[in-house]
């Protein structure tokens, strides 16, 4: 059985299942309870700035912890809790706030196991909202998953739809490694069918969501709907596109990428982030390095420009990848 | 002081073990036999031993770049530590951590740390685990005066006090943050007063006196264990060897350093007090000195003879492979 849920509500459902099935799972972050744990007065809770964790504090009053606005303290405390037996899920409100708390991720969570010769486990999940699309401007709209994907010891996943979000988050929470779980603004409010009950989507497996033999459109998170839209437009012109949803940025499903490349000979990677040191550049390098003989055209990347995210609706739309730009990139290949 | 003769001898053994271990490392680094950045704990032994003597298996500690003393005080094996510092496969971290990341989770030692102040939130998290899983354990963070100027310190204390976590925060105030005198960068005389901002209990101990640290830590730990919340314990101490091995010490007042080293040595201090009170005999201490010397010589010998890690180990332990 399934029913329609937004990606945010699918996340909420995954959190509830994770907490029901494992007493070691705790939720920490700014406003995750959001006032709902106040006793004695009839107040409702915010459940996070976007309401994603609403209702959870009432169900798990001892395990949903409102924190002060102290990202460094929150992340560092969560790493210490994870290394000593809990399974914390931290909400980092926006990935842009990584600037205030990178050390616990970069130098602690990612490295404890290695530095201690394999004698530590850090089963930490960091949920964070990424990307543009809400006119939140330069400090609340970045797609910084390329930073966490590039840090050995961390995993980074980014679902494009509610069903994957639920399954990937359950996998992330139950993984014994630190996982950064990105909730892209472009798809956060989008609804889709979500199976009921407890299920996991494996981390590190991409998913082919559309089949075609002429070109491979590779996207993830907020760019997946853009890829699908472009594929529809191309189909009306007789160009059939494979659409691959990466779902996991580290580990990266290299086999799936090379498989679609081998099938089509043309690759366009669609990534919301800025281009330098990006996931798209990394995938392009993989295609050239290991798929060169199968390539019939230059690998193209459709990305944001090398600039901060602008505020104005007009500028923000120009900043983001679009189906039109994807179609244009494909046309340059054929 | 309620310590038995056996406990006093064990405390002395740990003080001596740290001192001799650190003295030996200094020699090995200068002789070019050991690599890496090496920060020695000599002079601060009374702090680690005074606190850790009162910790059990359920209790955890986090440490700093100056972390060997905390390892030894928490019961980490000397042989595995020495092999680690030599970068050998038999090291307690398989040669992957080295001095600044030496750790033994089995013994509740959550690691030295190369980032100043980073261990403070980690201990806060360990205290949160103790609270939520009701283990009865306490988490102790050791850190220097320099770390109290990091946001991680203030954020952690605020959270721990707010949640009344069983955490003991131990400042090892050795008077210098790297090479800069503490008073150049800290506007308060006693850093312990920073606890007041978080409605947190604080204590100050003479970090050169094992018995004073022991007494203050006992009070602090009893408070933490009773569920009343965290405590900030400032121990006034001094690092004998400078910031790292090779430190030229030009920034240090020679007379002041001599005074600390000659007149306030925590081992000498311990010995004077136990002998004057006739709690143990000098011969027993000298016997321990000898045993420790032999133990460390054996650790060096076995470490130097131990195999190097296989280069394939470079890429192992990055992830928990069966962790999915």
């Amino acid at each position: 059985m399934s029913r329609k849920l937004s990606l945010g509500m699918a996340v909420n459902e995954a959190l509830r299942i994770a907490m029901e099935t494992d007493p070691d799972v705790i939720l920490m972050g700014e406003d995750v309870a959001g006032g709902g744990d106040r006793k004695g007065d009839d107040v409702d809770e915010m459940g996070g700035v976007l309401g994603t964790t609403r209702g959870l504090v009432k169900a798990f009053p001892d395990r949903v912890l409102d924190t002060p606005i102290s990202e460094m303290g929150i992340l560092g405390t969560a790493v210490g809790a994870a290394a000593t037996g809990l399974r914390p899920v931290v909400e980092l409100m926006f990935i842009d706030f990584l600037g205030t708390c990178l050390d616990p991720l970069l130098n602690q969570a990612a490295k404890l196991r290695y530095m201690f010769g394999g004698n530590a486990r850090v089963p930490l999940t960091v949920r964070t909202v990424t990307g543009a699309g809400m006119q939140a401007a330069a400090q609340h709209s970045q797609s910084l998953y390329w930073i966490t994907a590039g840090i050995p010891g961390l995993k980074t996943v980014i679902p494009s739809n509610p069903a994957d979000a639920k399954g990937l988050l359950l996998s992330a929470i139950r993984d014994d490694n630190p996982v950064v779980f990105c909730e892209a603004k472009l798809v956060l409010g989008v609804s889709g069918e979500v199976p009921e009950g407890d299920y996991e989507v494996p981390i590190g497996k991409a998913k082919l969501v559309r089949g075609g033999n002429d070109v491979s459109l590779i996207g993830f998170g907020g760019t997946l709907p853009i890829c699908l839209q472009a594929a529809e437009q191309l189909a009306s012109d007789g160009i059939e596109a494979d659409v691959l949803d990466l779902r996991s940025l580290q580990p990266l499903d290299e086999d799936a990428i090379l498989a679609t490349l081998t099938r089509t000979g043309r690759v366009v990677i669609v990534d919301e982030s800025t281009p330098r040191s990006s996931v798209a550049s990394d995938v392009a390098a993989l295609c050239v390095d290991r798929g060169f003989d199968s390539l019939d055209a230059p690998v193209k990347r459709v990305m944001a420009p090398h600039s901060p995210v602008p505020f104005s609706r007009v500028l923000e739309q120009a900043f983001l990848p679009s189906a039109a730009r994807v179609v244009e990139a494909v046309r340059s290949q054929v | 002081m309620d310590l038995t003769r056996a406990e006093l001898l064990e405390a002395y053994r740990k003080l001596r073990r740290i001192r001799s271990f650190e003295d030996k490392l200094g020699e090995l680094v200068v002789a070019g036999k050991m690599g890496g950045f090496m920060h020695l704990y000599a002079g601060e032994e009374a702090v680690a031993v005074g606190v850790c003597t009162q910790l059990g298996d359920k209790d955890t500690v986090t440490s700093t770049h100056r972390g060997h003393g905390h390892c030894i005080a928490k019961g980490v094996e000397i042989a595995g530590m020495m092999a680690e510092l030599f970068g050998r496969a038999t090291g307690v971290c398989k040669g992957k951590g080295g001095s600044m990341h030496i750790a033994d989770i089995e013994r509740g030692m959550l690691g030295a740390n190369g980032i100043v102040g980073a261990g403070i939130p980690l201990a806060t998290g360990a205290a949160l685990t103790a609270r939520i899983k009701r283990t009865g354990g306490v988490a102790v963070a050791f850190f220097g005066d320099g770390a109290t100027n990091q946001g991680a310190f203030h954020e952690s204390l605020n959270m721990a006090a707010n949640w009344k976590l069983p955490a003991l925060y131990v400042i090892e105030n050795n008077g210098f943050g790297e090479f800069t005198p503490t008073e150049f960068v800290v506007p308060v005389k006693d850093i312990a007063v920073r606890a007041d901002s978080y409605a947190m209990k604080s204590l100050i101990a003479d970090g050169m006196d094992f018995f004073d640290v022991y007494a203050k830590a006992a009070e602090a730990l009893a408070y933490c264990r009773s569920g009343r919340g965290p405590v900030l314990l400032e121990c006034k101490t001094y690092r004998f060897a400078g910031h790292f091995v090779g430190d030229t010490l030009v920034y240090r007042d020679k007379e002041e350093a001599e005074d600390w080293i000659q007149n306030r040595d925590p081992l000498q201090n311990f010995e004077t007090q136990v002998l004057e009170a006739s709690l143990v005999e000098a011969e027993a201490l000298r016997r321990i000195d000898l045993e420790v010397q032999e133990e460390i010589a054996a650790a060096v010998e076995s470490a130097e003879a131990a195999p190097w890690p296989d280069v394939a180990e470079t890429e192992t332990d990055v992830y928990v492979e069966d962790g999915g």
Side-chain angles (χ1 to χ4, degrees), chain B residues 279-301:
Chain B
L279 295 170
V280 299
E281 327 70 56
E283 301 76 54
L285 301 180
R286 295 296 78 79
R287 198 158 50 241
I288 289 173
D289 291 348
L290 236 83
E291 286 165 7
V292 167
Q293 202 102 40
E294 285 168 10
E295 177 187 51
I296 287 168
V300 171
E301 196 177 333

Side-chain angles (χ1 to χ4, degrees), chain A residues 93-113:
Chain A
M93 197 179 290
F94 295 100
I95 201 170
D96 311 69
F97 304 167
L98 206 53
T100 62
C101 60
L102 189 55
D103 185 70
L105 274 181
L106 169 69
N107 286 319
Q108 313 301 328
K111 294 180 173 61
L112 288 192
R113 180 172 181 77

Side-chain angles (χ1 to χ4, degrees), chain B residues 150-211:
Chain B
Q150 289 275 29
F153 167 81
H154 295 276
E155 294 185 18
S156 294
L157 263 62
N158 183 52
M159 288 167 67
N162 195 43
W163 290 338
K164 293 198 172 358
L165 295 182
L168 172 57
Y169 298 98
V170 181
I171 308 170
E172 301 178 321
N173 184 351
N174 61 23
F176 293 90
E178 300 210 43
F179 318 109
T180 303
T182 306
E183 70 258 27
F184 283 26
V185 290
V186 176
V188 293
K189 182 172 158 286
D190 296 318
I191 298 175
V193 302
R194 290 183 164 175
D196 296 350
S197 305
Y198 308 108
M200 186 186 291
K201 179 182 173 69
S202 67
L203 293 162
I204 296 175
D206 176 356
M208 308 304 274
D209 179 1
F210 167 82
F211 295 101

Side-chain angles (χ1 to χ4, degrees), chain A residues 24 73 84 108 114 154 177, chain B residues 94 113 129 133 155 314 319-320:
Chain A
D24 290 339
T84 50
Q108 313 301 328
Y114 191 82
L154 300 182
N177 296 287
Chain B
K94 298 197 224 166
N113 212 305
T129 299
K133 291 174 86 82
E155 294 185 18
T314 307
Y319 293 96
V320 182

Side-chain angles (χ1 to χ4, degrees), chain A residues 11 15 52-53 89-92 125-128 169 181 183:
Chain A
V11 164
L15 291 171
T52 312
T53 52
V89 183
V90 169
E91 179 171 313
L92 178 62
T125 302
V126 180
R127 288 181 41 239
T128 186
L169 183 54
F181 180 90
E183 299 167 13

